């Protein structure tokens, strides 16, 4: 073999090893620090995820159920082209009415390395996605932060949307600072009684509201492009549940009292009883049109201005992805 060829092969080999080593070191550092005693979310299980599972049942490897273009988010997220949505398996809440319960509380999904997830983002960008939409990634924040850093180095330019149930810690969110462009949190409950009964979450309102204020500190009020697609900022979602109009009104009142008027609120009417909710007397029905209208009227009565309302007919499982 001529000397030049040997040199070329050796160079390739070193280059490959260096790349792999850097990625692995980053990965190990994150796992060591945050997963050996996991307190990423408010459940603060304190367990070693290399050895056992906490409330979320997530291990140390990332697991995703789907990465595809999604057209059924709010128009300022999905637009015409679609949102590049990554659905993560497992969840730190255990909502009895979860439409995606097969992936959030079942075990559906495929394990994926952080470098591979970065490639998924880039593939979605190449397919024309308007943004990367991370759905329920709380329990994977360290690995997701690493995947975003790799993708950004490799040319990811579209906005990153962090789509969350709101049950977050400030420490967890601090790992995402500078990486997330749009925060899309739920504010599900005002009264913790409902958070415990329906999502098995202690102190939900306190954690979710502190998290939302941190999200606002990181990204501010929304900025839209010329087509009305959100490029940066905070938008809050609230799903109306049957019989909980007063709780919904308290949620709206907190938003009005604690955040600027420009923060949009997406009021969702799509609740459909599925999973354990089918057998729960208080929530085994859709919300009524009167309940929905009542909350929308209150939205305007208290001086809120920026919001999105779902068509009442969206209360169907038609918009839920098929996980099989
Ligand atoms: S991320 Fe999972 S293991 Fe870690 S504290 Fe939350 S629920 Fe527990």
């Amino acid at each position: 073999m001529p000397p030049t060829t040997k040199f070329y092969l050796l160079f390739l080999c070193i280059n490959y090893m260096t790349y792999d080593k850097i990625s692995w070191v980053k990965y190990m550092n994150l796992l060591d620090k945050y997963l050996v005693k996991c307190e990423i979310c408010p459940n603060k299980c304190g367990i070693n995820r290399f050895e056992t599972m906490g409330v979320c049942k997530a291990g140390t490897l990332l697991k995703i159920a789907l990465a595809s273009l999604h057209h059924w988010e709010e128009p300022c997220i999905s637009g015409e082209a679609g949102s590049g949505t990554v659905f993560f398996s497992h969840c730190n809440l255990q909502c009895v009415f979860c439409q995606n319960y097969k992936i959030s509380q079942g075990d559906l999904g495929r394990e994926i390395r952080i470098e591979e997830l970065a490639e998924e983002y880039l593939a979605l960008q190449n397919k024309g996605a308007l943004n990367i939409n991370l759905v329920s990634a709380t329990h994977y924040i360290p690995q997701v932060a690493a995947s975003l850093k790799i993708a950004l180095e490799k040319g990811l330019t579209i906005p990153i949307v962090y789509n969350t149930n709101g049950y977050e810690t400030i420490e967890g969110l601090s790992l995402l600072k500078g990486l997330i462009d749009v925060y899309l949190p739920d504010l599900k409950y005002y009264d913790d009684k409902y958070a415990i009964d329906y999502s098995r979450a202690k102190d939900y309102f306190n954690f979710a509201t502190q998290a939302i204020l941190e999200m606002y500190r990181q990204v501010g009020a929304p900025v839209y492009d010329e087509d009305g697609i959100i490029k940066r900022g905070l938008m809050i979602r609230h799903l109306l549940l049957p019989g909980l109009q007063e709780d919904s009104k308290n949620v709206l009142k907190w938003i009005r009292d604690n955040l600027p008027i420009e923060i949009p609120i997406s009021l969702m009417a799509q609740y459909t009883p599925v999973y354990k909710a089918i057998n729960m007397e208080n929530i085994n029905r859709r919300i009524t049109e009167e309940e929905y209208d009542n909350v929308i009227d209150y939205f305007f009565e208290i001086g809120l201005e920026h919001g999105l309302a779902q068509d009442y007919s969206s209360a169907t499982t038609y918009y839920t992805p098929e996980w099989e």
Side-chain angles (χ1 to χ4, degrees), residues 34-35 37-47 49 52-58 91-93 138-140:
Y34 297 105
L35 305 183
K37 183 172 182 285
C38 187
E39 296 188 337
I40 291 167
C41 87
N43 287 313
K44 297 201 183 270
C45 302
I47 49 100
R49 280 171 56 174
T52 186
M53 290 184 295
V55 172
C56 64
K57 297 194 171 61
C91 187
N92 65 331
L93 290 186
T138 309
H139 45 297
Y140 293 123

Side-chain angles (χ1 to χ4, degrees), residues 20-233:
D20 200 51
K21 193 175 167 203
I22 289 170
S23 304
W24 181 246
V25 168
K26 277 184 191 169
Y27 187 57
M28 284 304 290
N29 283 346
L30 290 164
L31 293 183
D32 279 353
K33 189 164 173 196
Y34 297 105
L35 305 183
V36 167
K37 183 172 182 285
C38 187
E39 296 188 337
I40 291 167
C41 87
N43 287 313
K44 297 201 183 270
C45 302
I47 49 100
N48 182 346
R49 280 171 56 174
F50 286 96
E51 295 172 355
T52 186
M53 290 184 295
V55 172
C56 64
K57 297 194 171 61
T60 52
L61 274 176
L62 286 158
K63 195 167 179 182
I64 66 170
L66 189 66
S68 69
L69 287 177
H70 188 45
H71 296 276
W72 298 323
E73 303 283 27
E74 288 80 353
C76 63
I77 303 278
S78 292
E80 287 287 313
S83 176
T85 306
V86 179
F87 287 91
F88 290 87
S89 301
H90 306 298
C91 187
N92 65 331
L93 290 186
Q94 296 156 77
C95 300
V96 294
F97 50 79
C98 182
Q99 288 189 320
N100 300 332
Y101 67 93
K102 288 180 185 170
I103 64 161
S104 63
Q105 294 172 58
D107 200 33
L108 281 182
R110 64 182 162 103
E111 290 185 334
I112 183 169
R113 293 168 64 233
I114 55 171
E115 292 90 343
E116 291 169 331
L117 183 58
E119 293 298 333
E120 293 278 359
Y121 303 149
L122 293 164
L124 287 166
Q125 177 171 266
N126 289 340
K127 283 181 189 166
L130 295 172
N131 44 56
I132 298 298
N133 184 355
L134 307 169
V135 181
S136 298
T138 309
H139 45 297
Y140 293 123
I141 281 181
Q143 299 99 314
V144 165
S147 70
L148 289 172
K149 283 178 185 166
I150 293 170
L152 289 168
E153 282 168 15
K154 289 185 157 189
L156 185 70
T157 55
I158 55 179
I160 312 297
V161 180
Y162 186 76
N163 188 333
T164 164
N165 57 43
Y167 201 45
E168 303 276 357
T169 60
I170 304 291
E171 297 76 22
L173 292 174
S174 69
L175 295 178
L176 297 172
K177 196 170 181 182
L179 295 170
I180 301 299
D181 301 287
V182 178
Y183 276 111
L184 184 59
D186 294 338
L187 185 48
K188 289 179 179 293
Y189 313 101
Y190 178 85
D191 189 331
D192 285 333
K193 171 189 173 347
Y194 301 122
I196 290 167
D197 286 355
Y198 299 146
S199 296
R200 309 279 183 269
K202 281 189 221 155
D203 213 8
Y204 174 85
F205 182 74
N206 180 42
F207 277 109
T209 50
Q210 290 307 308
I212 286 171
L213 293 175
E214 169 61 19
M215 292 172 195
Y216 177 68
R217 280 192 286 273
Q218 287 189 22
V219 298
V223 176
Y224 302 91
D225 69 10
E226 61 280 4
D227 298 320
I229 303 300
I230 191 165
K231 307 303 279 181
R232 186 174 171 80

